[in-house]
Amino acid sequence: MRTVFIVYAVLMLYIALRVVLATPKRSGGGGPLRVKWWWKVPMLLLLALGAFKFSILDWVNPGGRYFAPEVDARILLPLTWLNIFVILLGILLLFAELPRAVGWLFVRGRFRNAVNMALVALAGIATTVGMCNALAMPQVHRVDISLPGMPADARPVTLALLADLHADTVKREPYFRALVDQVNALGADAIAICGDFVDGTVADHGSDLEPLADLRAPLGVFGVPGNHDYPSGYADWMDYFTRHGIRMLPNAHVQLARGIVLAGVTDPAAAWQREEAPDLDKALQGAPAGLPVVLLAHQPSMAPAMAQDGRVALQLSGHTHGGMFPVLSNIVSKYNGGYLEGLYQVDGMQLYVTPGTSLWSGMLIRLLHPAEITLITMRPQ
């Protein structure tokens, strides 16, 4: 957590010196905030609140989860807005330094002042739009996949894929009630939830996820854990989901009708909680030979290993949230094996990465990467 603190501290200092505290001498003609110093003090305070959001929430919620505190949404959302604003403004200012470095954009101080004002406004607008997108209900995205090994006479199987629900103090029972209604209206043959159900304990958020018990699909509702589910009380949640009609597949499989094996593995984060690590051999133990395997694995970075094994025809994953917004999406892709969202071919295995159905409240922003419920139609090849 110290690294997070240092990164935000450097970012805040850069913005403060570059914009808020800029003087005509230091800024080449003036920063955007040509106001008295007593106005700049609250501005710096707001920057600090945004930059040190996680540390502040950890301080007011001692012993809680650093990245998912049990803090009222009326406090969490404004702090999240400020946090995202600081990130986006910092990125925009850094990009603006490039033309400034070659000396043709900031020729005059007055022009630089206008550019800085525009960047501040753009960061504010992008933050607001991005958060509204993140809090909106997901869109339905339809994908057709030819599944090698599926019996030629089998009719197509539809599967509604969800991931990254992240129940917390922002997304409560009404949101999940509307989501369940939206999923059920699709009439999918099966429903799969690919990890990161929640940020918090059953005691705190069990009532929020009660609507999941009303998910309906002829072939069943299935799930695997994600990295956020482990520190949230893994054993309690696994029992909760089972009692609410979700068949969890932690290193296990089930044979769906129409010639498909649906398997699941645990998440690599299991090691942090001394839980069972991902084990494809165990997941497929006793599975009928000759049928295509569709694997639920929360993190797409597991795909190369699954493809190398040779038994998996299609891996379904989440975790990346689609990268959330440009620039960050490049970083997210890098740390997830180059996989971000959409359909990939990985050494003869297909991989579909959903950008997620909801979003973690720690980074509530979606720009060009909308949330989705993926309706996958699997057909014989």
Side-chain angles (χ1 to χ4, degrees), residues 104-156:
W104 60 267
L105 179 57
F106 300 107
V107 176
R108 299 177 59 188
R110 186 174 299 175
F111 185 34
R112 178 179 183 185
N113 181 67
V115 170
N116 283 344
M117 286 292 289
L119 294 179
V120 170
L122 180 59
I125 293 170
T127 301
T128 302
V129 172
M131 284 190 65
C132 288
N133 290 342
L135 293 170
M137 296 303 296
Q139 63 185 22
V140 176
H141 181 61
R142 300 174 189 271
V143 179
D144 272 29
I145 294 179
S146 295
L147 205 59
M150 189 174 178
D153 59 349
R155 76 173 181 84

Side-chain angles (χ1 to χ4, degrees), residues 258-297:
R258 304 160 198 162
I260 295 175
V261 171
L262 182 67
V265 291
T266 57
D267 191 84
W272 306 344
Q273 304 294 319
R274 298 183 179 179
E275 298 288 350
E276 187 177 23
D279 188 338
L280 185 61
D281 287 333
K282 182 178 179 181
L284 296 179
Q285 186 175 2
L291 295 182
V293 174
V294 175
L295 180 70
L296 305 179

Side-chain angles (χ1 to χ4, degrees), residues 86-99:
V86 166
I87 294 170
L88 293 185
L89 180 57
I91 291 172
L92 289 171
L93 289 169
L94 285 169
F95 272 100
E97 297 288 0
L98 299 176

Side-chain angles (χ1 to χ4, degrees), residues 14 40 127 146 156 245 302:
Y14 168 67
K40 295 191 176 187
T127 301
S146 295
M302 301 169 70

Side-chain angles (χ1 to χ4, degrees), residues 69-87:
E70 290 298 320
V71 176
D72 191 286
R74 291 170 294 183
I75 297 173
L76 187 59
L77 287 175
L79 283 177
T80 299
W81 190 97
L82 286 170
N83 178 254
I84 295 171
F85 172 79
V86 166
I87 294 170

Side-chain angles (χ1 to χ4, degrees), residues 3-35:
T3 301
V4 175
F5 182 89
I6 293 173
V7 169
Y8 275 116
V10 171
L11 186 60
M12 178 197 166
L13 181 62
Y14 168 67
I15 295 173
L17 294 176
R18 174 71 166 74
V19 177
V20 182
L21 299 177
T23 66
K25 182 177 179 180
R26 280 192 289 176
S27 69
L33 305 175
R34 295 181 178 179
V35 293

Side-chain angles (χ1 to χ4, degrees), residues 157-352:
V157 176
T158 57
L159 182 144
L161 177 64
L162 314 178
D164 305 296
L165 303 182
H166 289 286
D168 55 21
T169 60
V170 174
K171 297 171 291 297
R172 310 304 299 246
E173 190 273 346
Y175 173 89
F176 293 106
R177 175 64 58 192
L179 177 64
V180 166
D181 291 343
Q182 190 177 6
V183 174
N184 284 342
L186 296 175
D189 296 317
I191 299 170
I193 306 174
C194 211
D196 278 6
F197 288 77
V198 65
D199 285 302
T201 65
V202 172
D204 289 329
H205 297 293
S207 60
D208 294 325
L209 289 178
E210 284 284 344
L212 296 185
D214 294 326
L215 286 169
R216 294 290 180 265
L219 300 182
V221 182
F222 307 93
V224 292
N227 56 302
H228 282 239
D229 300 321
Y230 288 91
S232 296
Y234 174 75
D236 290 341
W237 278 115
M238 293 295 281
D239 177 65
Y240 175 95
F241 296 137
T242 300
R243 288 188 287 106
H244 284 73
I246 301 172
R247 183 167 179 176
M248 299 300 289
L249 299 173
N251 295 330
H253 77 271
V254 62
Q255 183 178 348
L256 295 181
R258 304 160 198 162
I260 295 175
V261 171
L262 182 67
V265 291
T266 57
D267 191 84
W272 306 344
Q273 304 294 319
R274 298 183 179 179
E275 298 288 350
E276 187 177 23
D279 188 338
L280 185 61
D281 287 333
K282 182 178 179 181
L284 296 179
Q285 186 175 2
L291 295 182
V293 174
V294 175
L295 180 70
L296 305 179
H298 178 65
Q299 298 196 37
S301 58
M302 301 169 70
M306 299 305 167
Q308 187 176 16
D309 179 88
R311 289 176 287 179
V312 178
L314 170 65
Q315 177 178 319
L316 302 176
S317 298
H319 185 62
T320 67
H321 302 169
M324 290 164 280
F325 63 89
V327 179
L328 180 60
S329 60
N330 295 331
I331 299 172
V332 172
S333 175
K334 178 181 178 181
Y335 284 95
N336 284 278
Y339 310 117
L340 193 65
E341 59 181 324
L343 186 63
Y344 299 87
Q345 298 292 330
V346 185
D347 296 331
M349 183 191 78
Q350 297 182 89
L351 165 69
Y352 187 82

